[in-house]
Amino acid sequence: MGTATAKMPTAIKVPTTNAALHQWVQECAALCQPEAILWCNGSEAERAALMKEACARGVFIELNQTVLPGGYLHRSHPNDTARTEHCTFICTPAKNEAGPTNNWMAPEEAYRTLRQCFEGCMKGRAMYVVPFLMGHPGSSLAKVGVQLTDSIYVALSMRIMTRMGEVALRELGNRPTFTQCLHSVGALDPNRRYICHFPQDNTIWSYGSGYGGNALLGKKCLALRIGSALAQREGWMAEHMLIAGLQAPDGQITYFTGAFPSACGKTNLAMLRPPRRFAEAGWRVTTVGDDIAWMRADAQGRLRAVNPEFGYFGVIPGTSTKTNPSAVEILSHDALFTNAALLPDGTPWWEGKDGPVPPQCIDWMGKPWTPSSGTKAAHPNSRFTAPQAHNPQLDPRWNDPQGVPISAIIFGGRRSTTVPLITEAFNWTHGVYLAATLGSETTAAATGAVGVVRRDPMAMLPFCGYHMGRYFTHWLSMERRLSAAPRIFFVNWFRTDNTGKFLWPGFGENIRLLQWIAARCQGRAGAIETPLGLMPKPEEIDLDGSGVTRAQFEQAQAIDRDTWKTEIASQSEFFATLSTDVPSALLRERDALLRRL
């Protein structure tokens, strides 16, 4: 990020009369000692100036502008390529407020440790003041944050991921309350890396990383960790969920949210393209958001969801016209690529991209690469950052500050056995139990062992900003705010047969299950009661042209009672880690399931 002699970019200052903001900026500047303070306004002229400066410093590499207009490549430090959960802390006065699933640090200790890190850390660097808005202007759920950072990569990325600049300052006005976000890449020393959240202070301090999940503080840090704590206090929900709509041929849209752990097809579901027969008949999936949902009951008691983000920060490897054609279109212009490989023609490449493997390229670390190198050309966690507005499937109500009405909530994990393809919860409490016990199998690349079930309740384990047991209680309490709670469903696209072959094709074929979900929400489909929940009648899932036989579908839905007793024992072990904070209603659901089995 430059040196003491580096030429600093010219940015247009955005005046604000907010005394609290000015005072905080000056306090942080006195601590970090930047060479210059540059206020970001979010304009196109500012973006062009910052990008020119970033390319001159080597922070970005300009890609082939004929093929990818507005496209740029960024390479991060090899030790800074992913979220660092072990360096992420919830800083509350009492350890039990953070709970056993979070790393905890006392606020006084965290501030003391981080002040030592931040002291003088921006000498010779610019401090970018990045006002940003999570949510929509005028929305009751909108939250204003201001991030101070010495990373030009962060400043440019926040412009894509949030409503940044003047729009945020207008929303803030002269109010003294906003989320205070202080960030520095520091020396990129993994032994001095901290991502600290202070829920009581509405504050986030991040030091020693430039990676998106650690450095773009509006995303996981504010939208989920701080957001979930705010949501508990204020009576709403901040969730790690996609928001999408299933549009029927008659134009009716059934909106749903979905929570899936990593590598379970979350983004692909948010941007699902139906097979030709369904598309020609008029079925369509529209995207409101691919990662985060903020939800609140409206005056009529209907749960409504907004996507607080303004862009996408997605994993690139495996992205192709087969897996996610909309993502491919999104990446065709104005996209930032992080840790992808670089082809001789000035375009990015990654494993799983359309077309043949290139005979040669420059890998994500800037080194020559060939297929015989024995390494990945693109980092397995390489990313893209792109504007949400470029999505060809964008829902017409994506920018509605009131949000969209949610009829269904879908949870899913990666399980090769045990969990059926699709199940509906009996009721809201049963659905919360299913979500609280959500698990997904690990891979050898991640853990060194295949098939180990990792519990990830509501896909929120790394992102809940307070005690997970109390988070379950908050979920249960939301039913009282709703006149008609959304139906809750559980899916598993990854069940296999005895040979290891997937029983369900997934991707666009998932439209067949979404149809049943929508029909259930509209009272147009029946169900069969099983020990695990409600399942579709076989004739109500359209298998024509799917390549799935009726016998295979029934195998994907099969319940092995002995296996489920083992599963419940594993769930009980997880509940035990939360001590007495697991709601008794969930323990009753577990016992009822045992009796049904």
Side-chain angles (χ1 to χ4, degrees):
M1 177 54 206
T3 65
T5 59
K7 180 180 180 293
M8 294 299 173
T10 300
I12 303 170
K13 289 188 177 181
V14 181
T16 174
T17 58
N18 190 301
L21 174 55
H22 274 289
Q23 180 179 347
W24 176 66
V25 171
Q26 291 304 317
E27 289 173 356
C28 292
L31 174 64
C32 301
Q33 302 173 38
E35 180 175 304
I37 301 175
L38 303 172
W39 290 73
C40 294
N41 64 13
S43 68
E44 181 59 34
E46 176 185 81
R47 186 206 67 83
L50 290 177
M51 187 58 75
K52 182 178 180 181
E53 184 65 28
C55 289
R57 295 187 199 173
V59 177
F60 280 102
I61 298 170
E62 185 176 60
L63 296 174
N64 186 323
Q65 296 299 294
T66 301
V67 179
L68 292 173
Y72 294 86
L73 174 66
H74 171 69
R75 293 185 182 128
S76 63
H77 193 282
N79 73 21
D80 190 32
T81 57
R83 282 187 295 106
T84 48
E85 292 184 19
H86 68 284
C87 301
T88 301
F89 297 89
I90 303 299
C91 305
T92 51
K95 185 176 183 178
N96 195 46
E97 293 175 284
T101 62
N102 284 313
N103 299 316
W104 175 80
M105 193 185 303
E108 299 81 7
E109 178 188 354
Y111 280 128
R112 182 172 60 253
T113 299
L114 281 163
R115 283 194 181 97
Q116 293 174 356
C117 295
F118 277 110
E119 186 173 2
C121 69
M122 295 187 188
K123 289 180 179 179
R125 302 177 178 180
M127 172 187 279
Y128 300 93
V129 181
V130 184
F132 64 94
L133 180 66
M134 300 301 291
H136 306 71
S139 169
S140 61
L141 285 178
K143 303 294 182 185
V144 177
V146 180
Q147 178 164 350
L148 309 183
T149 179
D150 55 7
S151 168
I152 197 169
Y153 163 81
V154 168
L156 285 162
S157 297
M158 288 291 285
R159 182 182 183 275
I160 296 174
M161 292 303 301
T162 69
R163 294 163 173 86
M164 187 267 269
E166 291 181 335
V167 62
L169 291 177
R170 286 196 300 270
E171 189 75 13
L172 179 61
N174 285 316
R175 289 182 288 116
T177 304
F178 56 93
T179 305
Q180 299 179 354
C181 306
L182 179 59
H183 167 255
S184 173
V185 295
L188 292 176
D189 180 354
N191 296 316
R192 296 189 79 204
R193 184 167 291 163
Y194 301 93
I195 302 92
C196 291
H197 307 73
F198 303 85
Q200 280 77 9
D201 299 337
N202 197 16
T203 293
I204 306 161
W205 281 17
S206 174
Y207 180 84
S209 172
Y211 172 77
N214 301 329
L216 306 181
L217 302 186
K219 194 166 178 60
K220 307 298 191 187
C221 296
L222 192 163
L224 291 181
R225 297 192 189 99
I226 293 293
S228 62
L230 291 173
Q232 184 204 28
R233 294 200 294 266
E234 299 171 3
W236 51 283
M237 307 172 79
E239 302 298 328
H240 188 210
M241 290 181 172
L242 66 90
I243 312 169
L246 176 64
Q247 182 174 307
D250 63 3
Q252 182 178 6
I253 299 181
T254 302
Y255 288 103
F256 60 92
T257 62
F260 297 79
S262 175
C264 292
K266 181 180 175 187
T267 299
N268 291 342
L269 181 60
M271 302 179 190
L272 182 148
R273 290 273 186 96
R276 179 178 295 179
R277 177 167 69 87
F278 294 91
E280 290 177 348
W283 291 95
R284 182 171 180 250
V285 170
T286 59
T287 312
V288 179
D290 78 321
D291 193 45
I292 296 172
W294 284 358
M295 300 186 285
R296 168 171 282 170
D298 63 17
Q300 290 73 44
R302 187 79 185 267
L303 189 65
R304 289 184 173 270
V306 299
N307 170 17
E309 299 189 286
F310 204 53
Y312 302 120
F313 181 70
V315 177
I316 310 174
T319 302
S320 68
T321 53
K322 177 185 177 182
T323 62
N324 197 331
S326 286
V328 173
E329 290 188 43
I330 292 168
L331 299 179
S332 65
H333 58 116
D334 300 316
L336 307 181
F337 299 84
T338 300
N339 294 335
L342 182 63
L343 294 173
D345 68 353
T347 61
W349 187 82
W350 54 87
E351 281 73 12
K353 188 179 181 181
D354 291 304
V357 175
Q360 61 182 11
C361 64
I362 303 298
D363 73 8
W364 67 275
M365 292 187 289
K367 300 176 181 179
W369 181 93
T370 68
S372 63
S373 295
T375 59
K376 299 287 188 182
H379 190 277
N381 194 39
S382 52
R383 295 277 174 160
F384 68 84
T385 312
Q388 184 171 294
H390 292 172
N391 185 353
Q393 293 179 236
L394 201 60
D395 188 88
R397 299 174 66 178
W398 74 279
N399 209 22
D400 185 342
Q402 302 305 313
V404 296
I406 300 302
S407 299
I409 300 174
I410 304 172
F411 294 96
R414 176 181 286 268
R415 302 295 297 273
S416 58
T417 63
T418 311
V419 178
L421 173 63
I422 183 164
T423 312
E424 180 186 348
F426 293 124
N427 50 52
W428 181 264
T429 302
H430 181 228
V432 174
Y433 166 72
L434 293 177
T437 56
L438 176 64
S440 202
E441 292 173 4
T442 56
T443 64
T447 66
V450 175
V452 176
V453 177
R454 177 179 184 264
R455 298 292 161 194
D456 191 355
M458 287 80 165
M460 276 286 285
L461 191 69
F463 309 119
C464 184
Y466 60 102
H467 196 296
M468 183 61 73
R470 297 168 195 174
Y471 169 76
F472 296 157
T473 300
H474 179 57
W475 259 84
L476 292 170
S477 73
M478 285 299 298
E479 186 180 21
R480 297 193 297 269
R481 302 174 183 272
L482 303 172
S483 57
R487 292 174 181 258
I488 297 178
F489 298 84
F490 205 100
V491 299
N492 174 28
W493 321 127
F494 302 98
R495 193 158 179 176
T496 60
D497 62 18
N498 293 334
T499 68
K501 181 181 178 181
F502 289 122
L503 291 166
W504 184 253
F507 300 114
E509 303 295 346
N510 293 335
I511 189 76
R512 303 168 188 271
L513 303 183
L514 292 181
Q515 286 179 320
W516 182 72
I517 289 173
R520 288 289 296 165
C521 294
Q522 296 157 13
R524 296 186 293 101
I528 301 169
E529 185 171 330
T530 77
L532 301 186
L534 302 171
M535 291 186 176
K537 297 177 179 178
E539 66 273 14
E540 290 185 322
I541 300 296
D542 181 356
L543 297 180
D544 186 30
S546 67
V548 178
T549 66
R550 186 63 60 191
Q552 288 173 320
F553 178 78
E554 291 175 356
Q555 187 179 356
Q557 290 288 84
I559 300 171
D560 185 305
R561 294 171 187 259
D562 290 335
T563 302
W564 263 97
K565 290 175 183 177
T566 302
E567 172 73 10
I568 293 171
S570 171
Q571 295 173 1
S572 297
E573 290 174 3
F574 172 70
F575 280 163
T577 67
L578 303 179
S579 188
T580 58
D581 288 274
V582 177
S584 59
L586 300 191
L587 300 180
R588 289 194 295 270
E589 287 293 338
R590 178 199 60 191
D591 296 342
L593 173 55
L594 270 172
R595 289 194 298 271
R596 292 194 299 270
L597 289 168

